[in-house]
Amino acid sequence: EPEVTQTPSHQVTQMGQEVILRCVPISNHLYFYWYRQILGQKVEFLVSFYNNEISEKSEIFDDQFSVERPDGSNFTLKIRSTKLEDSAMYFCASSSTPTEKLFFGSGTQLSVL
Amino acid sequence: AQSVAQPEDQVNVAEGNPLTVKCTYSVSGNPYLFWYVQYPNRGLQFLLKYITGDNLVKGSYGFEAEFNKSQTSFHLKKPSALVSDSALYFCAVRDRRGGGFKTIFGAGTRLFVKA
């Protein structure tokens, strides 16, 4: 089965530093998403992306966050100045249509020290 | 605004017994409903979905779910639990209306199946 791949699997950074989390969605998918999960608990929606623009974002996704699809295969999440509370597992997902199931990557565990 | 509630943090069942993981939802219109499962150190995996039609939906690994519009519920069920079903289960909902593509997840229910 096709997979969403995420790199790195773990990222450790100092508070205030910028981080970029990378994702390669499934190749023929058009809808892309970022979610995060803190301490293995609730999965929180961050942002959805379609046709090279954000289609919806949550309150969590403030000005410190941005997403980009720099080429035909990658989808990135940037946090400009990390805070301690940004520590979480970040999941990328993609889907072929907005109503179809989401395919999730294995996640990037971000630790902000 | 759409929301999902999973009232049980944890469900314990014995292997071979039937299991139910509960989910209720709130959306403005008719929903798309999903169940996902998460194993340790993995991303979420799709189990099943309800879009329209038959209220009983069958999915992967012998799981099924029943859509009940009057009770706004979408409970996950399996007739005979396996130890390997032990995992974290998430109910999810997406509102059909609007241009955004936001799927909202419940808080998750941890299922323990004891041998």
Side-chain angles (χ1 to χ4, degrees), chain B residues 21 27 47 57:
Chain B
V21 182
V27 295
L47 277 180
V57 178

Side-chain angles (χ1 to χ4, degrees), chain A residues 35 42-46 56 58 102, chain B residues 1-6 23 25-27 32-34 36 90-95 101-107:
Chain A
Y35 286 83
K42 185 176 178 119
V43 175
E44 299 176 304
F45 172 81
L46 293 179
E56 194 156 1
S58 72
L102 304 180
Chain B
Q2 59 202 76
S3 65
V4 183
Q6 293 182 240
C23 171
Y25 65 90
S26 174
V27 295
Y32 297 107
L33 295 161
F34 304 84
Y36 287 81
F90 291 95
C91 182
V93 63
R94 182 176 171 260
D95 196 335
F101 311 131
K102 180 169 67 174
T103 299
I104 297 298
F105 288 82

